[in-house]
Amino acid sequence: MAVNLDKEAYYRRIKRLYGNWKKGEDEFGKVDAIVVSVGVDEEIVYAKSTAIQTWLFGYELTDTIMVFCDTKIIFLASKKKVDFLKQVAVTKGNENANGVPPITLLTREKNESNKANFDKMIEAIRGSKEGKVVGVFSKDKFPGEYMKSWNDTITAEGLEKVDISAVVAYTMAVKEDGELGLMKKAAAITSEVYSKFFKERVMEIVDADEKVRHSKLAESVEKAIEEKKYLGGADPSTVEMCYPPIIQSGGNYSLKFSVVSDKNHMHFGAITCAMGIRYKSYCSNLVRTLMVDPPQEMQDNYNFLLQVEEELLKELKHGVKICDAYNAVLEYMKKEKSELVAKLTKNLGFAMGIEFREGSLVLNSKNQYKLKKGMVLSISLGFADLVNKEAKKDEQKKYALFIGDTIQINEEDAATVLTPVKKKIKNVGIFLKNDDEEDEEEDGDDAEELLGKGARSAALLADRTRNEMTAEEKRRAHQKELANHLNEEAKRRLTEQKGEQQIQKARKSNVSYKNVSQMPREKDIREMKIFIDKKYETVVMPVFGIATPFHIATIKNISMSVEGDYTYLRINFFVPGSSLGRQEGNIFPNPDATFVKEITYRASNLKAPGDTSVPSTNLQNAFRIIKEVQKRYKTREAEEKEKEGIVKQDSLVINLNRSNPKLKDLYIRPNIAQKRMQGSLEAHTNGFRFTSVRGDKVDILYNNIKHAIFQPCDGEMIIVLHFHLKNAIMFGKRRHTDVQFYTEVGEITTDLGKHQHMHDRDDLYAEQMEREMRHKLKSAFKNFIEKVETLTKEQLEFEVPFRDLGFQGAPYRSTCLLQPTSGSLVNTTEWPPFVVTLDEVELVHFERVQFHLKNFDVVIVYKDYSKKVTMINAVPVNSLDPIKEWLNSCDIKYTEGVQSLNWTKIMKTIVDDPEGFFEQGGWSFLDPESEGSCAEEDSESEMEDETFNPSASEEEEEEEDSDEDYSSETEDSNYSASVGSEEESGKDWDELEEEARRADKESHYEDEDTSAVNNSSSSNNKKRKVRPSASRSGPSKKKRRS
């Protein structure tokens, strides 16, 4: 037989079987020999006899009898199977070499009764221990003459049979690393099929309001496992369903794995789905409940079911009795929600492996077996026969909730979930209704039943049209509500903060020597020379014959020059009034004192008779050493400044488990050293650790991450994991709030000199390779993220930017694509990165929003008014409506205006007098539609008119000047607009003036007014190009308010 047998696995496992038998626990203590006989039966999927064969040999061997005696093992099989088993049969000279009894192989005779072979096996049984009792799997009954004659032989010999299914199952329940790997792969495939096929299909059905039967949906899931895209690279021939998928809804629920999906149509309420996939003979299982528009009570019950599962996972550990874990969960339920205890499923799961369900290892109140590290269980918990009080239809009145996972038992920690499919309400709830549609829907229920689906579609279409017409109005109404709420919330917040006084950190005073005893007693000081004390960073200079110390921090700069026979050393000091920056007041606590501004020393370059050195040598050395000390001091000060405000982080708890989520060959930004270096990112118990190839380490703790962002490589040249931190961390001698790990997907540079051809095979191959690499990297990163979210129990959730909602803008120097996520607005592909937390945003203001401009600016004002506003420049005007829609959906107030405002002054005014600001209407001054702003502008314009009333000629001159300024500001945009085609440019100015004149005549204006317009237009035609509408406003271009 060409098939190979894993000898090492066979010897390991047969040793374990014999080891447990020799211990003599439970049924093992009663038997003298073990008999395993396997016949042929296509209908039997799971049997202990075939499971032990798969466990030992990796294959099922039909029509094979195995007899395990105390000192020998006998296999009776066909000639081909005997050839296969010869791989583990021990040679005569090497018996018991592997610590297991030797194997005797008997070849089955097809045409004879096999009496001779049966006699040999009976003789071996009689010679094993007392030879009276045989251990069998009593539930396994295979049909056929061959099996019947063997069973008759055992009965005729008067051998007693004892069922050893439970003890053999317990022996096989602890999985080896290889088996765990196969079960993890099976669980991963189940998760993929559920997430990428089943859940998406249910969403499509609900969205399109299709009528699909449970049985048809279950069949489509079975067909899906034939497609490679759902199998994570596994060979479809090695994958099969553990059982037909069970889909239930509409009030008919049975929370078992023995039922079959019925032929009823799927009801849009609570939809339970159970599916299990078997990979290379090893099983996995997954149960989820999807809920369409669940009422609050259903959500509460579901959340409680998740809590119960969490409790169960905590209880399931190595050495714990199964019944104790079950009872602990029951006690938790009685304490929290005792009314749901009666609704709970009778058992909470079972052990799983080659067989889907191990009947002797069920999680219930009676099972005395202890859990062991390496066991894999399928846990499944549910509440049946729950009543929906808000239901109106019969199929809605009863519902059930059912969840389940494949888990692995650990030594001390809670059990590990191998099926990391998200199951929070936000992941399994499908919410369709809008609050304002509920009333209309209730009224339309009866009509829908009478008129059917056609009427419903028509009603939906009419409703949709009506909504589209009023979308802008709805947005405005919502913004009005937000404006009122915004001012109240901001006023309350500032009032609370008023009591908190900001404590300013006192600057460290630089004192050279605290007392005279610390002064150095050097020869240079006695000889009135300049001496530099490196220890205390002090320059000791002779001033009027007295050695005077000056700390290095007081020296601004020094210079040295040689003039003739003398060397001059000039030392400049920091004094009040010199350019120090903003912190000047902190450095000089007593600015009224007398300060030394500069000192100049002179020394001769000529060597006097008897001198050992030239006098100027002291100045030259002093110049050099002061520079060195100054550089060292400034470097240290810069490092200390970087460290200011750094919050001390917890230590990273290293998880020594080799199966930690890990990504290799990543680059880190910002760089640790000058050159970028590759490294690996590994998730541990409480944080990530990046280790570069050089050995540098950067630790990021989960509790310090404000935003974890995953930027896929769709449309990008890099794939990124970005962490925006709550508190800055130090590495590379600098503090960083944003750290990202990325890898390049394709070639960022292209060789333009290379001959390009669309059908060039090399290019096509390169494109294909790049596509494959993108898919591979995306899968690796997604897999890493899912594992991390499971490891942290979803406390750390990665946000993925919504590319469809993205818009171009320039938050820094260059334009980039800014993309919203669920909680932030980000750009992570360019450096420096841009991350704004939406929860911290007070309001968003759009500047320079005018019909003739192609771009506008976005100003983001934060709730913390002391924080500088963020500006995003050059946002295309066609993005204005989508941005408004997005902000409105996030409940963020936005305003717009035509001018650019001085935000530094505005924020300073607000911080200085918050009460006065909110008394005058608060942020309503930004909103052109608000009453407060109009009144404010009116009063301003009235004051202007009262205090300044120029003559008509002055008005015209003033307008010309203002027009010049205005046109110069928008010269670029007008130029770019004017270089378009003739069709785009529209009517020229003479035509527009002619139209205005005709309109004035029709409105019975006086001829004098018309001539005035002509005069002004001829003299100022070019300058008025910016505002065509001004020609209709009469003789004066200055706008007045009535």
Side-chain angles (χ1 to χ4, degrees):
M1 211 171 181
V3 182
N4 287 326
L5 193 154
D6 187 346
K7 296 179 193 176
E8 294 299 318
Y10 167 78
Y11 290 129
R12 276 198 314 272
R13 291 169 190 177
I14 202 77
K15 272 184 196 173
R16 195 199 297 179
L17 181 67
Y18 267 85
N20 284 4
W21 183 14
K22 282 174 183 174
K23 284 180 191 172
E25 294 176 358
D26 302 318
E27 282 78 14
F28 270 144
K30 300 173 185 175
V31 299
D32 300 318
I34 297 170
V35 175
V36 180
S37 50
V38 177
V40 180
D41 190 347
E42 293 295 327
E43 291 181 11
I44 294 176
V45 181
Y46 303 110
K48 192 67 78 237
S49 308
T50 54
I52 198 168
Q53 284 185 345
T54 308
W55 186 60
L56 291 172
F57 311 120
Y59 298 94
E60 286 184 18
L61 306 174
T62 54
D63 283 338
T64 301
I65 299 169
M66 302 188 293
V67 176
F68 299 96
C69 300
D70 192 23
T71 54
K72 66 168 77 172
I73 300 170
I74 300 174
F75 294 155
L76 173 60
S78 63
K79 189 175 183 303
K80 279 188 178 179
K81 294 186 184 79
V82 165
D83 291 341
F84 170 69
L85 291 168
K86 276 180 183 175
Q87 295 176 69
V88 289
V90 182
T91 55
K92 285 183 181 178
N94 196 22
E95 291 184 0
N96 286 313
N98 291 289
V100 293
I103 296 172
T104 303
L105 298 174
L106 301 176
T107 306
R108 178 190 162 204
E109 303 294 337
K110 283 190 178 179
N111 301 324
E112 296 179 19
S113 63
N114 285 292
K115 189 174 184 308
N117 288 330
F118 288 169
D119 288 346
K120 285 178 186 176
M121 289 194 292
I122 293 292
E123 187 185 333
I125 292 168
R126 291 289 186 197
S128 175
K129 294 188 179 180
E130 293 180 14
K132 294 177 181 177
V133 183
V134 290
V136 294
F137 304 128
S138 55
K139 284 187 179 177
D140 296 357
K141 291 175 181 174
F142 289 90
E145 195 62 38
Y146 177 50
M147 286 292 116
K148 186 176 181 297
S149 60
W150 168 241
N151 288 327
D152 289 347
T153 305
I154 293 175
T155 310
E157 289 293 325
L159 295 170
E160 187 187 336
K161 294 179 183 177
V162 172
D163 186 16
I164 54 165
S165 302
V167 285
V168 171
Y170 196 57
T171 303
M172 294 165 60
V174 178
K175 306 293 184 286
E176 296 173 353
D177 288 345
E179 293 178 288
L180 287 172
L182 294 173
M183 296 197 79
K184 283 175 183 175
K185 180 70 175 171
I189 295 169
T190 307
S191 304
E192 286 280 293
V193 173
Y194 169 82
S195 302
K196 291 185 179 175
F197 179 79
F198 177 77
K199 190 178 174 185
E200 292 297 318
R201 181 73 186 108
V202 170
M203 299 276 273
E204 285 171 18
I205 292 166
V206 172
D207 208 32
D209 195 24
E210 289 181 49
K211 284 192 173 182
V212 178
R213 297 182 190 278
H214 296 140
S215 52
K216 286 286 180 190
L217 189 55
E219 283 173 25
S220 67
V221 175
E222 289 194 70
K223 285 179 185 173
I225 66 165
E226 295 169 13
E227 297 182 43
K228 271 193 172 181
K229 62 180 177 181
Y230 300 122
L231 304 182
D235 180 1
S237 64
T238 60
V239 177
E240 59 181 326
M241 298 301 296
C242 296
Y243 57 91
I246 303 163
I247 298 154
Q248 302 174 94
S249 67
N252 298 321
Y253 300 95
S254 176
L255 307 186
K256 296 176 183 175
F257 298 104
S258 54
V259 295
V260 181
S261 300
D262 59 32
K263 293 186 178 180
N264 294 332
H265 289 111
M266 190 172 80
H267 174 258
F268 300 162
I271 305 159
T272 66
C273 167
M275 65 171 73
I277 285 174
R278 203 178 186 199
Y279 175 67
K280 291 186 178 177
S281 301
Y282 284 86
C283 299
S284 65
N285 197 26
L286 175 72
V287 186
R288 289 290 181 269
T289 301
L290 294 172
M291 292 169 282
V292 182
D293 280 332
Q296 192 56 48
E297 189 183 8
M298 189 187 289
Q299 292 183 44
D300 293 343
N301 287 339
Y302 182 80
N303 284 329
F304 180 64
L305 186 60
L306 292 182
Q307 289 170 23
V308 173
E309 190 190 27
E310 280 298 315
E311 280 300 312
L312 179 60
L313 289 172
K314 286 178 194 170
E315 294 296 331
L316 298 175
K317 293 177 187 173
H318 176 79
V320 175
K321 277 188 179 180
I322 289 174
C323 57
D324 292 345
Y326 179 89
N327 292 329
V329 170
L330 225 57
E331 285 302 315
Y332 171 78
M333 283 189 66
K334 285 173 185 174
K335 191 169 76 177
E336 298 292 328
K337 275 195 176 183
S338 55
E339 68 276 10
L340 290 176
V341 173
K343 308 286 185 184
L344 186 68
T345 44
K346 288 182 181 177
N347 64 63
L348 304 180
F350 41 80
M352 188 166 58
I354 296 168
E355 287 187 276
F356 174 68
R357 183 180 187 276
E358 186 42 69
S360 60
L361 291 171
V362 175
L363 303 185
N364 58 28
S365 58
K366 296 174 184 175
N367 201 322
Q368 296 295 314
Y369 279 110
K370 285 184 179 178
L371 295 168
K372 288 188 176 180
K373 182 189 173 186
M375 283 186 174
V376 175
L377 310 180
S378 165
I379 59 166
S380 48
L381 314 86
F383 297 142
D385 297 326
L386 295 169
V387 177
N388 180 5
K389 293 170 186 173
E390 297 177 26
K392 292 179 180 174
K393 297 178 182 177
D394 289 342
E395 57 262 43
Q396 293 176 332
K397 286 177 182 174
K398 273 192 178 182
Y399 70 93
L401 301 172
F402 200 22
I403 57 170
D405 287 289
T406 303
I407 64 155
Q408 178 187 333
I409 302 297
N410 298 320
E411 190 136 15
E412 292 177 0
D413 300 331
T416 306
V417 177
L418 303 181
T419 43
V421 178
K422 294 179 181 177
K423 49 183 178 278
K424 287 185 178 177
I425 280 283
K426 64 180 179 183
N427 306 120
V428 297
I430 304 168
F431 298 89
L432 302 175
K433 294 178 187 174
N434 294 327
D435 294 338
D436 53 349
E437 291 172 1
E438 281 182 7
D439 300 333
E440 293 173 31
E441 196 175 311
E442 283 172 15
D443 297 340
D445 274 349
D446 300 330
E448 188 189 320
E449 283 176 18
L450 290 169
L451 298 171
K453 195 174 175 181
R456 183 181 177 183
S457 302
L460 276 171
L461 185 65
D463 186 44
R464 191 175 294 168
T465 313
R466 191 160 63 251
N467 282 346
E468 280 173 9
M469 287 165 63
T470 60
E472 180 61 28
E473 290 169 21
K474 277 188 175 182
R475 207 160 65 193
R476 283 180 184 172
H478 186 220
Q479 284 296 311
K480 202 170 182 181
E481 287 172 23
L482 287 174
N484 297 332
H485 178 70
L486 171 73
N487 281 331
E488 288 168 17
E489 183 64 25
K491 193 174 180 181
R492 183 190 60 76
R493 195 171 61 246
L494 286 170
T495 310
E496 286 175 4
Q497 286 176 358
K498 197 177 176 185
E500 300 172 14
Q501 290 186 344
Q502 285 190 337
I503 301 165
Q504 227 175 10
K505 195 176 176 184
R507 188 180 169 87
K508 186 176 72 176
S509 177
N510 293 310
V511 178
S512 295
Y513 304 112
K514 289 181 180 177
N515 51 56
V516 182
S517 62
Q518 289 179 337
M519 275 280 284
R521 305 278 187 266
E522 297 293 326
K523 185 184 174 186
D524 284 357
I525 295 173
R526 290 198 299 275
E527 292 176 358
M528 289 296 138
K529 292 181 180 178
I530 296 173
F531 174 75
I532 294 92
D533 186 354
K534 290 184 181 179
K535 183 182 176 184
Y536 289 100
E537 293 176 331
T538 296
V539 182
V540 182
M541 310 177 201
V543 178
F544 298 118
I546 299 166
T548 311
F550 289 87
H551 194 275
I552 200 78
T554 60
I555 297 172
K556 188 178 181 182
N557 53 45
I558 57 170
S559 61
M560 190 175 70
S561 59
V562 178
E563 293 176 16
D565 294 340
Y566 293 98
T567 296
Y568 293 87
L569 180 68
R570 180 178 173 181
I571 301 171
N572 292 321
F573 296 96
F574 284 116
V575 293
S578 62
S579 56
L580 266 180
R582 295 178 183 175
Q583 302 298 322
E584 190 176 332
N586 293 342
I587 294 180
F588 304 105
N590 187 12
D592 297 330
T594 304
F595 288 82
V596 178
K597 190 174 183 183
E598 65 176 82
I599 295 178
T600 305
Y601 290 95
R602 186 183 76 168
S604 173
N605 292 336
L606 302 172
K607 189 177 176 183
D611 285 353
T612 53
S613 61
V614 178
S616 62
T617 308
N618 175 246
L619 295 189
Q620 289 165 5
N621 288 340
F623 177 77
R624 179 177 53 81
I625 298 168
I626 288 171
K627 283 278 186 190
E628 283 176 17
V629 175
Q630 215 174 16
K631 186 180 178 183
R632 195 172 64 199
Y633 173 77
K634 283 177 180 174
T635 306
R636 196 179 72 247
E637 282 288 295
E639 284 180 16
E640 283 180 9
K641 195 176 178 185
E642 285 290 326
K643 287 177 184 174
E644 267 180 30
I646 291 282
V647 177
K648 193 176 185 301
Q649 302 292 314
D650 298 334
S651 298
L652 183 74
V653 179
I654 302 293
N655 188 351
L656 298 172
N657 192 348
R658 286 185 181 178
S659 62
N660 286 342
K662 192 173 186 178
L663 280 176
K664 294 179 181 177
D665 302 328
L666 297 180
Y667 294 107
I668 184 173
R669 281 203 293 203
N671 295 334
I672 300 173
Q674 286 182 340
K675 287 185 178 180
R676 66 175 191 167
M677 279 184 293
Q678 280 192 330
S680 59
L681 181 69
E682 191 169 1
H684 291 281
T685 307
N686 65 336
F688 296 102
R689 169 164 281 182
F690 175 80
T691 311
S692 72
V693 287
R694 199 176 69 175
D696 305 287
K697 290 182 173 62
V698 176
D699 294 344
I700 300 170
L701 302 185
Y702 301 140
N703 60 10
N704 191 32
I705 296 172
K706 189 187 279 186
H707 295 290
I709 298 152
F710 167 51
Q711 174 69 62
C713 49
D714 304 326
E716 304 288 353
M717 295 307 291
I718 58 174
I719 185 166
V720 181
L721 286 181
H722 185 94
F723 299 111
H724 182 65
L725 308 178
K726 295 173 187 171
N727 301 306
I729 59 170
M730 286 285 293
F731 64 88
K733 294 186 180 177
R734 298 184 74 86
R735 54 192 291 170
H736 306 286
T737 331
D738 287 282
V739 185
Q740 67 176 225
F741 305 95
Y742 71 97
T743 188
E744 289 165 1
V745 179
E747 290 182 17
I748 290 180
T749 55
T750 307
D751 184 4
L752 296 175
K754 182 182 164 189
H755 175 67
Q756 299 286 330
H757 192 273
M758 64 181 288
H759 298 300
D760 189 345
R761 286 189 178 183
D762 289 344
D763 283 358
L764 292 172
Y765 178 70
E767 282 178 21
Q768 177 65 23
M769 289 299 289
E770 187 178 315
R771 272 196 295 273
E772 286 176 12
M773 189 180 179
R774 280 176 182 271
H775 179 70
K776 194 175 174 184
L777 280 170
K778 210 165 158 187
S779 301
F781 272 70
K782 277 188 175 177
N783 190 27
F784 175 79
I785 286 165
E786 283 172 3
K787 284 179 178 175
V788 169
E789 287 180 345
T790 308
L791 181 70
T792 60
K793 294 181 180 169
E794 295 183 20
Q795 287 174 355
L796 177 69
E797 285 195 31
F798 282 81
E799 302 170 28
V800 179
F802 303 117
R803 196 175 181 83
D804 297 344
L805 296 176
F807 58 91
Q808 295 290 335
Y812 303 113
R813 291 181 182 177
S814 60
T815 302
C816 57
L817 180 67
L818 301 166
Q819 302 173 72
T821 71
S822 54
S824 56
L825 177 67
V826 301
N827 171 265
T828 56
T829 50
E830 303 285 331
W831 196 262
F834 177 81
V835 182
V836 170
T837 306
L838 297 182
D839 287 344
E840 294 174 1
V841 175
E842 181 84 306
L843 71 106
V844 174
H845 181 67
F846 306 124
E847 293 184 339
R848 300 191 307 111
V849 180
Q850 299 182 54
F851 72 94
H852 60 274
L853 295 181
K854 290 182 178 178
N855 298 320
F856 66 96
D857 301 331
V858 176
V859 180
I860 297 169
V861 182
Y862 296 98
K863 289 176 181 174
D864 179 3
Y865 291 165
S866 60
K867 193 174 177 182
K868 191 180 175 185
V869 299
T870 298
M871 288 203 71
I872 303 168
N873 300 316
V875 180
V877 77
N878 58 3
S879 299
L880 183 61
D881 268 354
I883 293 172
K884 283 181 177 178
E885 193 61 48
W886 165 62
L887 290 172
N888 195 54
S889 67
C890 296
D891 291 339
I892 294 174
K893 169 71 180 160
Y894 62 80
T895 54
E896 61 180 79
V898 294
Q899 293 175 321
S900 294
L901 302 173
N902 186 338
W903 284 97
T904 312
K905 282 187 177 177
I906 290 170
M907 298 313 291
K908 190 176 184 303
T909 308
I910 296 169
V911 172
D912 289 347
D913 183 18
E915 289 175 359
F917 172 70
F918 287 109
E919 278 172 15
Q920 290 170 12
W923 290 108
S924 58
F925 80 94
L926 290 172
D927 203 338
E929 294 177 8
S930 67
E931 294 170 11
S933 62
C934 290
E936 209 169 299
E937 284 173 25
D938 287 349
S939 63
E940 280 177 21
S941 60
E942 279 169 21
M943 282 172 69
E944 281 175 17
D945 290 345
E946 283 171 16
T947 54
F948 184 65
N949 292 315
S951 65
S953 60
E954 283 172 347
E955 274 186 40
E956 281 186 15
E957 283 172 24
E958 194 176 286
E959 188 62 16
E960 280 177 23
D961 292 341
S962 67
D963 267 356
E964 275 174 15
D965 293 340
Y966 190 80
S967 59
S968 67
E969 278 176 20
T970 56
E971 192 175 356
D972 293 342
S973 60
N974 283 325
Y975 178 75
S976 62
S978 64
V979 294
S981 65
E982 282 295 310
E983 290 174 20
E984 290 173 348
S985 59
K987 297 176 182 178
D988 67 18
W989 291 96
D990 292 329
E991 288 173 332
L992 288 168
E993 294 291 351
E994 188 60 34
E995 278 183 20
R997 198 184 300 114
R998 275 201 299 271
D1000 288 346
K1001 279 179 183 176
E1002 285 167 13
S1003 305
H1004 305 292
Y1005 274 90
E1006 293 180 1
D1007 291 334
E1008 289 84 8
D1009 290 340
T1010 315
S1011 61
V1013 173
N1014 273 331
N1015 292 334
S1016 65
S1017 68
S1018 60
S1019 64
N1020 204 9
N1021 196 19
K1022 203 168 187 179
K1023 288 168 187 149
R1024 288 168 58 193
K1025 200 169 183 180
V1026 179
R1027 288 189 290 188
S1029 58
S1031 61
R1032 294 175 184 253
S1033 61
S1036 172
K1037 291 189 283 181
K1038 186 169 182 180
K1039 289 179 84 175
R1040 292 182 180 276
R1041 293 186 182 274
S1042 56

